Amino acid sequence: MTTLSQFSEAVRALVDKTAQRVVAISVGGRRPASGILWRGGLVVTADEALGEEEDVELTMPDGGTATGMLAGRDSSTDIVLLRVEGQPATLESLKPASAVKSGHLAVAIGRGGNGEIAAAGIVKECGESWRSWAGGLINRRILLDLDLDMRAHGGAVVDADGNFIGLAAFAPRRRTLVIPAETVDRVAEALAMKGSIARGYLGVFLRPFWGRRGTGAVVVKVDADSPAKRAGIHVGDVVTAWSGEPIRDVHDMFRRLGPDTVGSTVTLDVRRANQPARIEVVIGERPHR
Amino acid sequence: MRRNGNQPVTQAGGHAVPRHRIVVCIAISDPVLAERMVSLLPDDSRFEVHGGLDDSGDADVILADRPLALRRPTIALDDHHHDDEQDLDRWGTDARAILPSTVDGDLLRAAVVMVAAGFSIVEVVGSRGLSDEGEELTRSSDIALGEMLTPRESEVLSLLAHGASNKVIARELEISIHTAKFHVASVLAKLKARNRSDAVAIGIRRGFVVL
């Protein structure tokens, strides 16, 4: 047996083993996607792959079909949790890959109508934690040098030992991005418990502001009984910085108010009556009815 | 649906009438300026003007020419040009508006009413200020689109921004899942959004979403 065929068999074995935890997701009228059997009766997939649908049909690794019902979604980290009836209540936890670095082998596995869909490549880039557009904290920035099939969106990415690197997703311009295992576990656990993840809430409506001294976000309405109200933020105040970091527009504020800010105290620099002021505010959670 | 707790206006017999007169406390050390301010604020049905600081605790608005740290909404009369760093704490957060001592009666009275109602006033100079943005938005289709969202749809959009699923929306608004789906679809259609993340992005840009 040549070294090349040994390599081939090894990759094939990886795909075979990982595929036991990968399901196909079909959503009426939408492009099919994949998901990962994360824990017993629970499937994780990419929020973007699921779209507006909340009840989907799954093709399980044994070829049987099942119905997946939305258990929770967090678009800030692109993670959706689905509950599946009639599955074993317990499943071995996916063993996370340790110390992933640029250059390591990566294999992405999805499931389509004809069985598993595999792609192999290497880790192209592996950076520190980052914040998504909506302010979700993603533990590492991992991009892969491989071409992910659209049907494998939401599938699993593993390393050469078959350990779980994370969930396969797309970055802009169709680059292959991995939501790391650590992020998947953290968010899916919270979704399994609570069904949703609360973002930080100030209780303000903001509009972009362009002034002589630069840009910011101007408060146009303050919710009654909100953290902003309690901190003494007023309509007309222009927010220019969050804990010393500049706020240039409304989106900067949205991004800052990710789920991990709930309960934290931040210092907002505002321009009030044309002069700078500092306001301390305790970030809350949007009140429920 | 404005919820400004201290707006001095209330509904009575279908007419908006002042709940009480706006109590203005004049705390100005320069007697000439103080007298001018009093003359600009007629003790009529809208304003009740007090000299000195004895009644400052009940004041809706304080007119001051120096920082007093009274923790009451203050209109500062200040002709100095402020530099960001060194003046950070000069007026503190009490000041809700800074006006020049040459302010005319119309502007002063408008400022008193605004500050008493819980607003702060930021002056914008230059062609790209907030006022310009307002015009720009009025010209574009943005405002029209925003006004098309019903109050219910606005709530749905804010819930979407906070990551709510249809099930959560239904629970929060005490409506059926079917109705929640209907509202979400209608928000997406009105904002011409591809999906819920896109709708949130559009809503954020236009200031329709509570943060």
Side-chain angles (χ1 to χ4, degrees), chain A residues 38-178:
Chain A
W38 175 67
R39 302 265 164 94
L42 293 169
V43 166
V44 289
T45 183
D47 183 50
E48 287 192 352
L50 199 65
E52 294 318 301
E53 284 307 314
E54 301 197 343
D55 296 320
V56 297
E57 190 181 305
L58 306 177
T59 306
M60 306 307 286
D62 65 4
T65 58
T67 302
M69 282 168 305
L70 189 86
R73 67 195 312 163
D74 177 42
S75 50
S76 79
T77 50
D78 197 23
I79 290 169
V80 163
L81 189 68
L82 301 166
R83 217 174 278 285
V84 193
E85 298 291 326
Q87 296 296 310
T90 52
L91 261 183
E92 200 186 326
S93 288
L94 295 159
K95 190 171 175 229
S98 58
V100 179
K101 290 209 170 68
S102 159
H104 274 141
L105 185 77
V107 180
I109 297 105
R111 183 173 294 282
N114 304 312
E116 57 263 34
I117 300 165
I122 59 172
V123 175
K124 179 159 64 181
E125 227 180 292
C126 192
E128 296 297 305
S129 66
W130 60 289
R131 276 191 192 277
S132 69
W133 189 91
L137 182 67
I138 306 196
N139 296 65
R140 302 189 74 180
R141 183 190 293 276
I142 304 174
L143 288 160
L144 302 183
D145 182 30
L146 63 77
D147 189 22
L148 188 70
D149 191 288
M150 293 300 279
R151 294 167 297 168
H153 191 181
V157 179
V158 294
D159 69 4
D161 296 320
N163 294 331
F164 184 49
I165 298 178
L167 183 134
F170 287 105
R173 297 188 298 284
R174 222 179 165 280
R175 289 172 300 158
T176 305
L177 174 79
V178 181

Side-chain angles (χ1 to χ4, degrees), chain B residues 91 131-132 139:
Chain B
W91 285 99
S131 51
D132 285 62
R139 275 199 303 274

Side-chain angles (χ1 to χ4, degrees), chain A residues 139-258:
Chain A
N139 296 65
R140 302 189 74 180
R141 183 190 293 276
I142 304 174
L143 288 160
L144 302 183
D145 182 30
L146 63 77
D147 189 22
L148 188 70
D149 191 288
M150 293 300 279
R151 294 167 297 168
H153 191 181
V157 179
V158 294
D159 69 4
D161 296 320
N163 294 331
F164 184 49
I165 298 178
L167 183 134
F170 287 105
R173 297 188 298 284
R174 222 179 165 280
R175 289 172 300 158
T176 305
L177 174 79
V178 181
I179 307 296
E182 199 183 341
T183 310
V184 170
D185 285 348
R186 169 171 56 87
V187 174
E189 270 163 21
L191 289 176
M193 275 173 61
K194 294 191 287 186
S196 65
I197 293 183
R199 292 179 53 85
Y201 166 76
L202 268 177
V204 291
F205 284 82
L206 299 166
R207 285 261 174 174
F209 178 88
W210 301 283
R212 188 171 38 164
R213 292 186 174 90
T215 65
V218 60
V219 178
V220 294
K221 186 182 160 194
V222 181
D223 271 359
D225 195 26
S226 62
K229 188 87 182 175
R230 285 190 285 278
I233 291 172
H234 292 268
V235 171
D237 288 352
V238 179
V239 183
T240 57
W242 169 292
S243 294
E245 301 281 330
I247 294 292
R248 289 176 214 87
D249 55 25
V250 182
H251 172 236
D252 278 354
M253 284 294 282
F254 181 66
R255 190 173 195 169
R256 289 278 169 187
L257 287 163

Side-chain angles (χ1 to χ4, degrees), chain A residues 52 54 70 133 199 202-208 210 213 234-237 254 272-276 288-289, chain B residues 82 84 88 91 93 95-96 98 118-123 128-129 133 137 155 161 166 172 196 206-207 211:
Chain A
E52 294 318 301
E54 301 197 343
L70 189 86
W133 189 91
R199 292 179 53 85
L202 268 177
V204 291
F205 284 82
L206 299 166
R207 285 261 174 174
W210 301 283
R213 292 186 174 90
H234 292 268
V235 171
D237 288 352
F254 181 66
R272 171 177 297 169
N274 275 5
Q275 56 162 18
H288 299 279
R289 303 205 162 197
Chain B
H82 290 288
D84 292 16
L88 185 63
W91 285 99
T93 53
R96 303 286 161 70
I98 297 188
F119 292 83
S120 78
I121 300 171
V122 176
E123 177 204 13
R128 299 197 63 213
E133 191 230 357
L137 287 175
E155 284 182 273
N166 292 346
E172 287 285 310
R196 48 183 71 205
R206 296 180 190 169
L211 297 185

